[in-house]
Amino acid sequence: MRKVTTDELADMLQKSETWVFNVLAPKEFERGHIPGTENIPIGGSDFLAQARAVVPDEDTPVVVYCAGPECKASARAANALAEAGYMEVYAYEGGMKEWIAAGNEVETGERTVARRSHREGAP
């Protein structure tokens, strides 16, 4: 697991091959998340199954984030992905707290099928 900064994450979000997961509970995700990210809660028993359904290729870069530096969910998720065989796993430990403090955009509401299609490069 490697750590990324706010600026590095902003750059990674521009790359269609990088997936970014918010690993908090769905209610937290709905309250606010980084635009273009998927919600796969680490607290669920099927975290790895959900991650594999979205990103079946273990060579695909994956970034995970949670609420902020005091939240340990991103580190737990990153470790779980690395142990499952994912080769490029990054943790944005600054989470929503640092993302917002840097003045970046935040979305609210549930993820949509359209967003997933956009991330996959579909028109």
Side-chain angles (χ1 to χ4, degrees), residues 18-35:
T18 300
W19 282 88
V20 183
F21 298 145
N22 174 306
V23 296
L24 297 171
K27 293 270 186 215
E28 303 260 343
F29 182 80
E30 291 171 17
R31 278 199 290 264
H33 56 270
I34 297 170

Side-chain angles (χ1 to χ4, degrees), residues 15-117:
K15 299 175 182 172
S16 62
E17 72 272 6
T18 300
W19 282 88
V20 183
F21 298 145
N22 174 306
V23 296
L24 297 171
K27 293 270 186 215
E28 303 260 343
F29 182 80
E30 291 171 17
R31 278 199 290 264
H33 56 270
I34 297 170
T37 64
E38 297 284 334
N39 182 223
I40 301 182
I42 185 66
S45 61
D46 59 349
F47 171 75
L48 287 174
Q50 287 184 33
R52 284 201 190 285
V54 175
V55 186
D57 183 357
E58 294 175 349
D59 291 328
T60 301
V62 177
V63 180
V64 293
Y65 73 95
C66 56
E70 60 283 339
C71 177
K72 303 302 177 201
S74 62
R76 286 188 10 242
N79 287 332
L81 289 167
E83 287 175 12
Y86 283 86
M87 304 304 291
E88 276 194 76
V89 179
Y90 303 89
Y92 174 50
E93 292 183 343
M96 289 303 298
K97 185 175 185 176
E98 287 185 16
W99 185 259
I100 292 167
N104 291 305
E105 182 183 349
V106 173
E107 283 182 339
T108 58
E110 297 177 10
R111 75 172 177 192
T112 64
V113 172
R115 169 149 321 279
R116 177 176 277 168
S117 295

